Amino acid sequence: MEITPAPAADIMDEESWELRLYVAGQTPKSVTALANLKKYCEQYLKGRYSIEVIDLLKDPQLAEGDQILAIPTLVRKVPEPIRKIIGDLSNEERVLVGLDIRPLGSKLQP
């Protein structure tokens, strides 16, 4: 019996994603950022992601670890490399490119 490794694209499709969203309370931008992030994750990463929301009004010391300079900021922890996107994440194309998310079955695979 011969075992063939899965194509790289299939392995990438199975990766889990760990995302961290830094916010400051319930500001309109923070609420919008979280809603947009959940929408994109359900659409493109369904069942393969976790989102950790960090409220810097409650835990300001946590901003230092990821060097957060503005809010809201989204940090992709896994898969590496770490990537950051600042803003309310309303530009879907910019978010997908920034996080290097390719829709499943996309013909844009490298």
Side-chain angles (χ1 to χ4, degrees), residues 14-26:
E14 297 300 322
E15 286 181 318
S16 64
W17 293 66
E18 293 180 23
L19 305 169
R20 185 176 287 173
L21 181 64
Y22 288 90
V23 298
Q26 295 290 316

Side-chain angles (χ1 to χ4, degrees), residues 84-102:
K84 296 178 186 174
I85 299 176
I86 297 171
D88 65 5
L89 310 177
S90 59
N91 185 327
E92 182 175 347
E93 184 176 341
R94 179 181 252 176
V95 172
L96 296 179
V97 170
L99 293 177
D100 196 22
I101 293 175
R102 297 181 197 118

